[in-house]
Structures are given as C-alpha cells and as structure tokens.
Amino acid sequence: MLERRQIQRVVDLALDEDAPFGDLTSQTLVPPTAVARAELVAREPGVLAGAEVFEIAMTTLDPTVKVTLEAADGEAFGRGSVLARVEGPARSVLQAERVALNLVQRMSGIATLTRTYVEAVAGTAARVVDTRKTTPGLRALERHAVRCGGGHNHRYSLSDAVMAKDNHLAVIPDVTAALRQARIDLPHTTHIEVEVDRLEQIDAVLESGAAHTIMLDNFSLDDLRAGVAKIAGRALVEASGGVTLDTIADIARTGVDVISVGALTHSVRALDLGLDMSVS
C-alpha cells in the first residue's frame, strides 16, 4: 500500500523544486488576507488515482488549507465531475496548485490507461502488471496508480526478486547450473524469474527446476502458445515486449498467466484535470 511517508517525500521535493524561495507572483499580487475556494474538476472521463496525494500536496505548505475529497482512488468519473474541493489562504493554495495537479493528473492518467488494458483481457486468466519503467522518484505513486486502475505490480525493485534477463544470461556460461545454485543459496521465499527470447531456451530453464516464472519476451502468438504448452504449469508464464491495446487480448488468449506492460507508466498521458478557483 502507498504510505504517507512515501507521498510526503515526493511532495516535499516537488514543492521545493517549484518554489525554492516562495511564490513570487502570489506574494507580490495576492493580498495576504485573500481566501481561495477551488474545485478539482475533470475535463475528461477517467479513473482517479492520487486523491490523498492531492490532499497532502495542497496542505503541506499551510495546514489551514482544507481539502474535501469527493471521489476515492479507483473510482471512475465523467467529464465535469468534481473530485475534490479546496478552501484556504489564497497564497497557499496558489503556491501548491501546480504540484498537486501534476501529481494527481499523472497518477489518474496511469490508472485510466491501466483500466483499459485490464478491461481488454476480461474473461481470460491473464493478469496485467506494470514494470520498472517508472519515473525516477515517483515509482511508489505510479505503482499505486496501476493498482487503482485494476492492474497489479511486478517486483518493486532490483532487491525484491531474482530476475535473470537477456543481458544476465549472456554472461552466464551454464544457465541450468547457475539457476540450481541460486536455489541453494537463496532463501526459500525468494522468487526467481527467467527471461527467454526463443522457445529453445525454455528447456534449460525448466531443467534447473528453479524458476517460479518464465518470461517469454517478444514472442509471436504461435510461439506463446507453444511456450505455454512446453512449460505446462511447471512455472508461471509471463508475456512481455511491445504489448499494446491492439495486441493484449490476443496475447491473453494464448494462456499466459501474466502480461507485463511498460506503457502503463513510461508512455502515459496525464489526464486533463483542472482546479477552478474563486478568490474572496
């Protein structure tokens, strides 16, 4: 789950980046007694992610700013929906506005895109997961947004699991022996995944008896089906590489267990949300 400390770290860095010496415009032009009332409004339909992030971003600079959330993470909304209401000192609201919007717009964009991928594989057993192709420093937020869209998370970091990819295998002289030794050396709780890019590589991985998941990278549909048949339940089967909305349904129907989609985070468009404000 996304923890407040993770959110606060990102928000603090973003606020400091955006106004290292304060908001010169608001401090110069906006009266210190002015009060702002604002609504977070959807300019297009989508799925919300980052409600708490928005609230923390709006209130960190000034705890007297009040945020009322009108929608929850994972909730679908239509164009014109009011997702949150904000009230407080105008200078504080204006200084926090862009950071709060940037984060909630990106997270909601990820959640919305993820929902479309998840809906595309409905009726199959395939699980849609993200990858480590996240924005540096924003991984916790982006991974949370994927879950808000109904997707699942892959390993969080390099420290979470063994995942032998093509560049690892290129420098391992005996893959079967290396994987067997890994099972001996690692705790029994450690997950081992191995990426292959050709059908003939599967046998060496299976022979080790060590892999929990075998990733079939950039396989054709026919080869995916053949790979699923060859593995025959002895490991989870993950499909990866160039997955799009046009191809994911066909990939899911090959019988794979997991489909990893880097585009959920590395190619997403921020959702169009706006903060409509009045000042008194």
Side-chain angles (χ1 to χ4, degrees):
M1 299 298 293
L2 185 60
E3 298 179 4
R4 185 181 180 93
R5 63 179 180 81
Q6 295 172 307
I7 301 172
Q8 194 67 63
R9 182 168 58 243
V10 171
V11 166
D12 287 344
L13 287 171
L15 290 169
D16 183 63
E17 175 185 61
D18 202 39
F21 308 109
D23 176 3
L24 185 60
T25 305
S26 296
Q27 291 169 353
T28 303
L29 301 177
V30 178
T33 57
V35 174
R37 294 174 181 82
E39 294 179 335
L40 178 63
V41 179
R43 310 286 193 228
E44 60 180 318
V47 176
L48 181 63
E52 185 181 10
V53 176
F54 177 82
E55 180 178 13
I56 291 173
M58 292 301 308
T59 58
T60 289
L61 292 171
D62 186 345
T64 67
V65 174
K66 180 181 178 182
V67 176
T68 303
L69 299 176
E70 302 291 351
D73 279 2
E75 185 175 330
F77 54 80
R79 180 179 180 181
S81 296
V82 176
L83 306 176
R85 303 179 193 276
V86 181
E87 183 173 351
R91 287 183 174 183
S92 300
V93 173
L94 287 165
Q95 184 169 335
E97 173 188 10
R98 178 42 53 197
V99 166
L101 279 175
N102 283 351
L103 293 172
V104 74
Q105 284 181 294
R106 178 162 182 81
M107 292 179 70
S108 295
I110 291 170
T112 302
L113 182 61
T114 301
R115 182 68 56 86
T116 63
Y117 274 88
V118 170
E119 290 174 347
V121 303
T124 74
R127 170 182 285 202
V128 177
V129 306
D130 54 22
T131 71
R132 283 172 43 244
K133 296 175 182 178
T134 54
T135 308
L138 296 184
R139 180 169 296 175
L141 274 60
E142 293 181 351
R143 285 272 170 94
H144 174 77
V146 168
R147 295 193 298 274
C148 291
H152 297 267
N153 299 143
H154 213 293
R155 59 174 177 161
Y156 186 80
S157 71
L158 291 171
S159 303
D160 293 336
V162 171
M163 188 169 172
K165 305 194 74 173
D166 54 352
N167 286 339
H168 298 102
L169 300 182
V171 297
I172 299 173
D174 187 334
V175 173
T176 301
L179 290 173
R180 284 176 176 165
Q181 189 61 46
R183 278 305 322 141
I184 294 170
D185 295 340
L186 291 166
H188 71 281
T189 54
T190 303
H191 192 93
I192 296 178
E193 178 167 356
V194 183
E195 174 190 278
V196 299
D197 53 27
R198 301 187 307 277
L199 281 170
E200 54 266 30
Q201 293 177 310
I202 294 175
D203 288 331
V205 178
L206 290 174
E207 188 179 344
S208 73
H212 300 97
T213 302
I214 299 177
M215 177 195 290
L216 310 183
D217 187 48
N218 284 299
F219 274 44
S220 68
L221 293 176
D222 286 342
D223 282 352
L224 283 174
R225 284 186 282 267
V228 169
K230 181 185 281 285
I231 295 167
R234 288 174 285 179
L236 291 173
V237 182
E238 176 179 341
S240 182
V243 179
T244 69
L245 276 173
D246 292 331
T247 62
I248 193 169
D250 288 336
I251 292 171
R253 285 191 284 268
T254 65
V256 298
D257 302 294
V258 177
I259 304 174
S260 51
V261 186
L264 298 182
T265 53
H266 74 58
S267 298
V268 71
R269 176 182 66 81
L271 209 67
D272 190 1
L273 308 176
L275 198 65
D276 294 344
M277 190 178 305
S278 61
V279 178
S280 59

